Amino acid sequence: MTVIEARDSKKRILDAAISLFARKGYAAVGVREIASEAGVNIAMISYYFDGKVGILKAIIETFFSQYSQLLVNIDDKDKTLEESVRTVIHRLVQFIRFNTELTLVTYNELPLDVPEIAEMKARKVKALLKKMSGLIRRFGLDPEDILQLTMVFPSLVAMIFAHFRMRPVLKHVLDVNFDDAYYERLTGTLATLFLGGIQGLSARKQKRQKRK
Amino acid sequence: MTVIEARDSKKRILDAAISLFARKGYAAVGVREIASEAGVNIAMISYYFDGKVGILKAIIETFFSQYSQLLVNIDDKDKTLEESVRTVIHRLVQFIRFNTELTLVTYNELPLDVPEIAEMKARKVKALLKKMSGLIRRFGLDPEDILQLTMVFPSLVAMIFAHFRMRPVLKHVLDVNFDDAYYERLTGTLATLFLGGIQGLSARKQKRQKRK
């Protein structure tokens, strides 16, 4: 087996697993099925990964490493807050649009009962929040107010994911093309909702402080 | 079998299925397992439901019928928009808090490939939007602008669900009690985000109309 073939098998296993987990759910898919979909011998899975949960970990690792790239230069001081927010939402929407299954698998496995996965995600989320602390301050939020962050960030991220989770249902509700124009308008709408929400929180905080 | 025993078996099957689907995912659970968890004979499942997909349909039906109850009197003209929004978000948070598995099962099965379920949910979502058309107008949105509604509503609903989806991860991130005080603050924060977002959209629309 050449180095290129080896890389290829590993990637094929990951791609097959992402697609199967997204369609059927993690718990319903076996390693035999993944090997067969990837067109590799089942021994390859033990060779590259620590079983099925090892594949899921590698998927989550892939997601977060790409996801954190989306935050690069996001806290550029030459940009207004509005520009920064519009840029990051644009990048997120484009990323999820072209990596929908990867995103859904990472996000969907949350409610399932795999403690080591929950712990791994907790570490990833903490690291992301640390990376964003500059931006969080510009939002008028306090990066040390962990309680508030747990209320605001899952909500804002979910707002963006929601479209991709609901897409199969939306397709039945209306006859719409999810094309470039749709995603451009979606980006604008989400950025406006997000900015309005953040401004609302920050106005409320100021009002409270004045009352004191 | 008395009428009360019969009702009891049906409910036990539903409760067992909700709990199993929430923990393991729909695809990973078999009817035999549901019957065993419910403590009923497997024949009872065919007697009450049209197989596993029939149970999922009944779960979704239960969810939406309770969910639409939460919208009752929500468009009360004596209330300010802010009061209406705070009331509906309070009701939603309380409902999901005490029906977390029911909500997650209804919401999670979306990405899975079951066309008849997608279609059923599409109908339910349409009916809900119709019920809310008065409130949608008060938000400054146009109930006929379906494209905009598909961008705004999944996002706003997801904002509220996000906490309950992320809770297992949040528990690892920080040592917090998800108690009455937490949910009261969560309700306030979400209502403010929601109102700010909606006001941002409506301000943007007015700015555009002035430019014309």
Side-chain angles (χ1 to χ4, degrees), chain B residues 5-190:
Chain B
E5 275 167 347
R7 266 195 209 138
D8 200 48
S9 303
K10 196 174 176 187
K11 197 177 174 321
R12 281 220 308 273
I13 293 168
L14 276 180
D15 288 345
I18 290 169
S19 163
L20 287 167
F21 292 165
R23 278 183 284 138
K24 301 185 162 189
Y26 173 76
V29 178
V31 281
R32 201 167 293 276
E33 198 177 356
I34 298 172
S36 149
E37 176 101 358
V40 303
N41 189 294
I42 193 165
M44 285 289 108
I45 293 193
S46 339
Y47 179 74
Y48 288 116
F49 301 97
D50 192 8
K52 192 169 77 158
V53 76
I55 300 180
L56 180 58
K57 278 184 188 166
I59 291 173
I60 295 172
E61 200 72 62
T62 305
F63 173 81
F64 278 99
S65 80
Q66 298 188 23
Y67 197 73
S68 67
Q69 287 303 308
L70 304 177
L71 299 175
V72 165
N73 285 337
I74 211 51
D75 194 23
D76 183 342
K77 296 291 186 292
D78 294 339
K79 282 186 181 157
T80 65
L81 181 60
E82 180 164 348
E83 283 166 346
S84 296
V85 166
R86 290 193 187 276
T87 305
V88 78
I89 290 182
H90 175 78
R91 288 185 196 166
L92 283 171
V93 168
Q94 291 302 315
F95 175 76
I96 300 174
R97 184 179 171 194
F98 297 109
N99 298 275
T100 308
E101 289 189 326
L102 173 65
T103 305
L104 288 181
V105 170
T106 303
Y107 201 60
N108 283 347
E109 296 314 328
L110 282 177
L112 299 180
D113 207 4
V114 187
E116 59 188 303
I117 295 293
E119 201 183 328
M120 179 185 177
K121 292 199 192 180
R123 263 185 289 114
K124 298 286 178 191
V125 170
K126 266 188 191 169
L128 274 185
L129 283 176
K130 208 167 180 178
K131 251 193 169 163
M132 291 179 65
S133 62
L135 200 56
I136 289 171
R137 264 194 209 92
R138 291 179 68 200
F139 287 155
L141 304 176
D142 176 2
E144 303 297 316
D145 185 351
I146 301 294
L147 218 58
Q148 184 181 51
L149 296 186
T150 68
M151 294 175 180
V152 174
F153 279 89
S155 299
L156 296 178
V157 171
M159 269 180 54
I160 300 170
F161 285 6
H163 164 77
F164 299 96
R165 292 181 56 78
M166 293 283 286
R167 202 161 50 179
V169 167
L170 292 177
K171 278 200 174 151
H172 280 270
V173 176
L174 72 166
D175 187 34
V176 78
N177 263 332
F178 295 118
D179 54 12
D180 288 351
Y182 185 91
Y183 286 104
E184 203 179 303
R185 187 171 169 195
L186 179 68
T187 300
T189 303
L190 292 178

Side-chain angles (χ1 to χ4, degrees), chain A residues 21-28 82 86 104 107-113 115 117-119 121-123 125-126 129 145-148 150-152 154-156 158-160 162-163 165-166 168-170 172-174 176 178 181-183 185-186 188-190 192-198 200-202 204, chain B residues 21-28 82 86 104 107-113 115 117-119 121-123 125-126 129 145-148 150-152 154-156 158-160 162-163 165-166 168-170 172-174 176 178 181-183 185-186 188-190 192-198 200-202 204:
Chain A
F21 292 165
R23 276 183 286 137
K24 300 184 162 190
Y26 173 75
E82 179 163 349
R86 291 197 187 273
L104 288 181
Y107 201 60
N108 282 346
E109 296 313 328
L110 282 178
L112 299 180
D113 207 5
I117 296 293
E119 201 183 327
K121 291 197 193 179
R123 265 186 287 116
V125 170
K126 266 187 190 170
L129 284 176
D145 185 351
I146 302 293
L147 219 59
Q148 184 180 51
T150 68
M151 293 174 181
V152 173
S155 299
L156 295 178
M159 269 179 54
I160 301 171
H163 164 78
R165 292 180 58 78
M166 294 283 286
V169 167
L170 292 177
H172 279 270
V173 177
L174 72 168
V176 76
F178 295 119
Y182 185 90
Y183 287 103
R185 187 171 168 196
L186 179 68
T189 303
L190 291 178
T192 304
L193 281 172
F194 187 109
L195 282 161
I198 290 291
L201 273 187
S202 139
R204 204 159 184 232
Chain B
F21 292 165
R23 278 183 284 138
K24 301 185 162 189
Y26 173 76
E82 180 164 348
R86 290 193 187 276
L104 288 181
Y107 201 60
N108 283 347
E109 296 314 328
L110 282 177
L112 299 180
D113 207 4
I117 295 293
E119 201 183 328
K121 292 199 192 180
R123 263 185 289 114
V125 170
K126 266 188 191 169
L129 283 176
D145 185 351
I146 301 294
L147 218 58
Q148 184 181 51
T150 68
M151 294 175 180
V152 174
S155 299
L156 296 178
M159 269 180 54
I160 300 170
H163 164 77
R165 292 181 56 78
M166 293 283 286
V169 167
L170 292 177
H172 280 270
V173 176
L174 72 166
V176 78
F178 295 118
Y182 185 91
Y183 286 104
R185 187 171 169 195
L186 179 68
T189 303
L190 292 178
T192 303
L193 281 172
F194 187 108
L195 282 161
I198 291 291
L201 273 187
S202 143
R204 204 159 184 230

